[in-house]
Amino acid sequence: MADIDTISKYLIQHYPDHFTRFALARDDIEVIEIIETEQPTVRARRSDSFIRVRIDGEEALVHNEFQTASSTNPPMERRMAGYIGHAIEHHGLPIYSNVIYLRPNAGQNDPGYYVQELPGYEIVIRYRVIRLIEIEGQPILNAGHSGLIPFTPLMKPPEGMASDAWLRQCIHTARTRPIARSPKADYLAGMVALSELVYDSEIISAIIFKEGIMDILRESSLFQSLTQQSRKEAREEGLEEGLEQGIEQGIEQGERRSTIEAILEVLEIRFDMPKTHPLSARIATIDDLQHLKQLHRAAIQVSNLEAFQRILDT
């Protein structure tokens, strides 16, 4: 799995205004600077993002902590109390602190506060819990904030929309945004990597090939960085060969599925072949990618469905 910490920090560094407005649910925020997030805490942990902002004429900090899973050792409220306390000590500014949970089942029991109730020594530290699965994704797509678009596959899809259709819509929206190719490549790479938290790799690969974004992904500096990091980790664990095989298999399976869908779409458009036609099941069982590509060309060229079936039978 890709390094989510690398992805989230990369996106925040390039789109800090998008994240501060999203986390605080207000637009009257001026970003001043992104603060280095390495903190010498007791357990050498680090928080994800501190952004110095100006709100209502006053300086403050916006702190976003990204979590893929619930924190139990120590509990999230203790971690956040440590981060917030250190930030107050070091910067002396008001702080708006948020935990952003990425996986659908993460953060369900996060109370959003740390409390100590010793008489005369009471402590209360509150922060906002943001679970992406509870956020409506369509308004985020419609707003077109590039920094947030990579996270939309992890958000709630429109009512009645299947998850793979939602992922396809998110990737298509990202691909068709009218922005420069280089930043588009990076946030597409971020979206694909984040999608791995929820979606099956074959589904992701199939959509990548259907949208035709593999070439632009390869141009992404973020994609290259994540790939190099994955290979380094694999070498350290003696798994590089298996990693390469897994990547190749995932790409081939995605292209196979995309080609099958293309064949069936051509047959439906040209010959009004229903999805329940026996040929559909036969085509879906073919593993040979080159054979599928030949059948795709045949589906475009033959004069009728019977001629296509004869080619399939040979």
Side-chain angles (χ1 to χ4, degrees), residues 57-274:
E58 300 292 333
E59 287 194 14
L61 296 179
V62 176
H63 166 216
N64 293 318
E65 182 75 18
F66 289 88
Q67 285 288 120
T68 57
S70 300
S71 177
T72 57
N73 187 27
M76 198 67 216
E77 55 267 33
R78 281 174 51 193
R79 286 181 57 187
M80 293 300 287
Y83 293 149
I84 294 169
H86 185 277
I88 292 172
E89 174 191 6
H90 188 72
H91 298 285
L93 292 172
I95 182 168
Y96 298 83
S97 198
N98 312 279
V99 181
I100 302 176
Y101 287 99
L102 305 181
R103 280 201 173 103
N105 61 347
Q108 298 180 69
N109 298 319
D110 189 333
Y113 57 83
Y114 173 85
V115 175
Q116 175 179 292
E117 297 181 326
L118 293 176
Y121 296 91
E122 294 85 357
I123 300 173
V124 179
I125 298 177
R126 297 187 182 276
Y127 54 92
R128 184 183 176 200
V129 174
I130 302 174
R131 300 181 63 243
L132 291 188
I133 192 59
E134 297 175 352
I135 303 294
E136 296 286 349
Q138 191 64 58
I140 304 296
L141 278 187
N142 295 344
H145 295 151
S146 298
L148 301 177
I149 284 177
F151 293 90
T152 53
L154 309 181
M155 298 179 184
K156 184 190 300 184
E159 186 174 355
M161 180 178 288
S163 60
D164 56 342
W166 171 239
L167 177 60
R168 185 177 297 111
Q169 180 178 332
C170 293
I171 291 179
H172 177 77
T173 300
R175 181 181 68 79
T176 55
R177 287 283 295 155
I179 64 174
R181 186 176 177 90
S182 179
K184 179 181 290 188
D186 287 332
Y187 81 67
L188 276 170
M191 173 180 282
V192 169
L194 288 166
S195 298
E196 294 176 357
L197 292 171
V198 176
Y199 296 90
D200 182 84
S201 59
E202 288 190 13
I203 292 175
I204 297 172
S205 297
I207 296 173
I208 287 174
F209 279 97
K210 191 158 189 174
E211 288 291 329
I213 63 172
M214 196 62 209
D215 288 342
I216 190 172
L217 284 176
R218 290 194 179 102
E219 297 174 14
S220 164
S221 58
L222 178 60
F223 180 82
Q224 293 169 9
S225 172
L226 295 171
T227 301
Q228 290 172 359
Q229 182 173 338
S230 296
R231 292 187 184 281
K232 178 182 177 182
E233 292 172 355
R235 281 196 301 272
E236 291 172 352
E237 298 178 10
L239 299 174
E240 183 174 21
E241 183 177 351
L243 173 66
E244 292 178 351
Q245 291 176 351
I247 292 172
E248 291 173 358
Q249 290 173 1
I251 291 174
E252 184 172 338
Q253 286 298 320
E255 190 170 2
R256 173 183 169 273
R257 179 179 295 185
S258 179
T259 306
I260 289 173
E261 291 178 357
I263 293 171
L264 297 179
E265 185 176 20
V266 170
L267 295 177
E268 179 183 0
I269 294 173
R270 294 196 65 206
F271 309 121
D272 198 27
M273 189 186 85

Side-chain angles (χ1 to χ4, degrees), residues 10-68:
Y10 176 91
L11 292 169
I12 280 185
Q13 287 170 357
H14 286 77
Y15 306 98
D17 52 332
H18 295 173
F19 284 91
T20 54
R21 292 168 187 169
F22 169 72
L24 274 60
R26 57 189 295 176
D27 294 327
D28 58 336
I29 303 173
E30 177 190 350
V31 172
I32 300 173
E33 66 170 329
I34 299 170
I35 297 174
E36 174 57 46
T37 58
E38 297 295 332
Q39 292 196 50
T41 56
V42 174
R43 298 192 61 182
R45 292 185 181 271
R46 61 186 181 184
S47 57
D48 280 345
S49 162
F50 278 108
I51 305 172
R52 187 188 297 268
V53 299
R54 185 174 288 107
I55 302 176
D56 295 332
E58 300 292 333
E59 287 194 14
L61 296 179
V62 176
H63 166 216
N64 293 318
E65 182 75 18
F66 289 88
Q67 285 288 120
T68 57

Side-chain angles (χ1 to χ4, degrees), residues 248-310:
E248 291 173 358
Q249 290 173 1
I251 291 174
E252 184 172 338
Q253 286 298 320
E255 190 170 2
R256 173 183 169 273
R257 179 179 295 185
S258 179
T259 306
I260 289 173
E261 291 178 357
I263 293 171
L264 297 179
E265 185 176 20
V266 170
L267 295 177
E268 179 183 0
I269 294 173
R270 294 196 65 206
F271 309 121
D272 198 27
M273 189 186 85
K275 297 182 184 299
T276 55
H277 195 285
L279 285 180
S280 298
R282 286 187 60 187
I283 295 168
T285 62
I286 298 173
D287 291 325
D288 189 331
L289 181 57
Q290 293 305 315
H291 187 200
L292 287 169
K293 290 181 177 180
Q294 292 169 359
L295 290 175
H296 185 224
R297 287 193 293 270
I300 296 172
Q301 296 170 353
V302 296
S303 57
N304 53 56
L305 192 58
E306 290 72 20
F308 177 83
Q309 185 166 349
R310 285 195 295 272

